[in-house]
Amino acid sequence: MAPTDGYWGKVTSTIDWCEENYVVNRYVAEFWNTISNSIMIFAPMFSVYLAVKQNLEKPVIWSNMSVIVVGVGSWAFHMTLQYSMQLLDELPMIWGSAFLIYGILMIESKEGEINKQLLAFLFCYAAVVTAVYLINKNPVFHEIAYGLMVATMFFASIRILLKYKVNSLLYLVSSGTYLSGFLLWNVDNIFCHQLRSLRREQLHSAATPLFECHAWWHILAGTGTYLSLVFVAHTRYFILGRSPQLKFLFGFWPYVSVPPASKKLKQ
């Protein structure tokens, strides 16, 4: 059996995931669940760098920065399994999703336009969810509140896809990647006993990370979120008539390149 305590002491979080605690390293409670958050930290960092370099709108920057905060919080949570770090993971998911929803719902707005009513509504929603969750500490409540926000982003994106001739393949790949991660998240929750038995008794130690389904959730959800932000930025500047281009770092990692406003081309 894997040890239950390590450097960070007794688990105080309301959730302890399927990965056995302190098996790989006594300083990291869930090693694979921790390092798999790298995708949610470094991928949006790259987008922030490009957005600042190209002088893109602030919602593009803040949306990516919110994902970085989620990645850092999730890293801290899985590394320590402390309740305070759990909040640092879960609450930024709500507030970060508010940034993403704002960006999608404002995708057709004029350049520089601010919707104060929408900002106020999203702030109130996130604040109420935060307050209620701090009181009842029920992870199911958090999951439902977050799920409603994901559904809002999904339907808002579908509306854009039906209205404009944008890069639908990019959105389908981002959604498919995210949903694949969500499927593995459920597999990890439902079949935890079987997965633990498989990892302990039937697999070589080098192969066990392949069956850490919650870690794959991080990788796939992080990748899907990154791709959806690329889709939103690309669509936003397409609607503004800035002729954005979808380019690929190292031949496979997509990012948006937007010509300077003075050089924008007619659609």
Side-chain angles (χ1 to χ4, degrees), residues 106-151:
M106 293 293 289
I107 205 167
E108 298 175 279
S109 63
K110 297 178 182 179
E111 196 162 6
E113 181 180 348
I114 298 175
N115 189 326
K116 295 182 180 179
Q117 290 79 12
L118 178 58
L119 284 173
F121 173 79
L122 291 171
F123 177 85
C124 291
Y125 180 88
V128 169
V129 170
T130 298
V132 173
Y133 189 51
L134 288 174
I135 294 171
N136 70 16
K137 300 181 181 181
N138 187 344
V140 175
F141 169 77
H142 173 269
E143 291 163 9
I144 292 174
Y146 175 68
L148 289 173
M149 301 182 87
V150 172

Side-chain angles (χ1 to χ4, degrees), residues 46-47 50 54 56 165-174 223 226-238 242-259:
F46 175 61
S47 285
L50 291 177
Q54 298 179 86
L56 302 187
K165 293 182 178 180
V166 294
N167 196 322
S168 57
L169 178 60
L170 177 60
Y171 182 74
L172 290 174
V173 171
S174 71
T223 301
Y226 171 83
L227 293 176
S228 69
L229 290 175
V230 172
F231 167 78
V232 170
H234 186 273
T235 302
R236 169 64 175 162
Y237 284 95
F238 169 81
R242 293 277 294 275
S243 300
Q245 294 180 317
L246 189 64
K247 296 186 177 181
F248 295 87
L249 182 68
F250 305 125
F252 73 93
W253 192 253
Y255 66 94
V256 175
S257 176
V258 181

Side-chain angles (χ1 to χ4, degrees), residues 19-157:
E19 181 179 354
E20 293 88 340
N21 299 339
Y22 297 106
V23 171
V24 177
N25 190 306
R26 71 177 298 266
Y27 297 101
V28 181
E30 297 176 346
F31 184 83
W32 302 110
N33 286 353
T34 298
I35 66 171
S36 57
N37 285 292
S38 298
I39 189 68
M40 285 192 285
I41 298 172
F42 295 109
M45 277 186 180
F46 175 61
S47 285
V48 170
Y49 165 76
L50 291 177
V52 172
K53 185 178 180 180
Q54 298 179 86
N55 196 30
L56 302 187
E57 293 176 303
K58 284 183 174 57
V60 176
I61 297 173
W62 288 111
S63 293
N64 281 280
M65 290 187 67
S66 69
V67 177
I68 296 173
V69 174
V70 172
V72 171
S74 184
W75 181 294
F77 171 34
H78 290 285
M79 183 174 69
T80 66
L81 290 180
Q82 299 299 297
Y83 178 67
S84 58
M85 296 299 102
Q86 179 182 347
L87 295 178
L88 190 62
D89 171 24
E90 293 174 330
L91 295 181
M93 291 173 66
I94 300 297
W95 291 91
S97 295
F99 282 103
L100 272 59
I101 290 174
Y102 183 83
I104 294 174
L105 295 183
M106 293 293 289
I107 205 167
E108 298 175 279
S109 63
K110 297 178 182 179
E111 196 162 6
E113 181 180 348
I114 298 175
N115 189 326
K116 295 182 180 179
Q117 290 79 12
L118 178 58
L119 284 173
F121 173 79
L122 291 171
F123 177 85
C124 291
Y125 180 88
V128 169
V129 170
T130 298
V132 173
Y133 189 51
L134 288 174
I135 294 171
N136 70 16
K137 300 181 181 181
N138 187 344
V140 175
F141 169 77
H142 173 269
E143 291 163 9
I144 292 174
Y146 175 68
L148 289 173
M149 301 182 87
V150 172
T152 299
M153 289 185 271
F154 173 77
F155 288 113
S157 299

Side-chain angles (χ1 to χ4, degrees), residues 141-199:
F141 169 77
H142 173 269
E143 291 163 9
I144 292 174
Y146 175 68
L148 289 173
M149 301 182 87
V150 172
T152 299
M153 289 185 271
F154 173 77
F155 288 113
S157 299
I158 294 298
R159 185 184 70 83
I160 294 298
L161 286 172
L162 296 174
K163 187 173 181 179
Y164 296 97
K165 293 182 178 180
V166 294
N167 196 322
S168 57
L169 178 60
L170 177 60
Y171 182 74
L172 290 174
V173 171
S174 71
S175 297
T177 303
Y178 188 94
L179 289 174
S180 297
F182 179 66
L183 174 64
L184 291 178
W185 181 84
N186 282 281
V187 168
D188 195 69
N189 290 338
I190 297 171
F191 299 103
C192 179
H193 177 74
Q194 292 86 338
L195 287 169
R196 284 187 171 183
S197 177
L198 179 67
R199 292 195 296 259

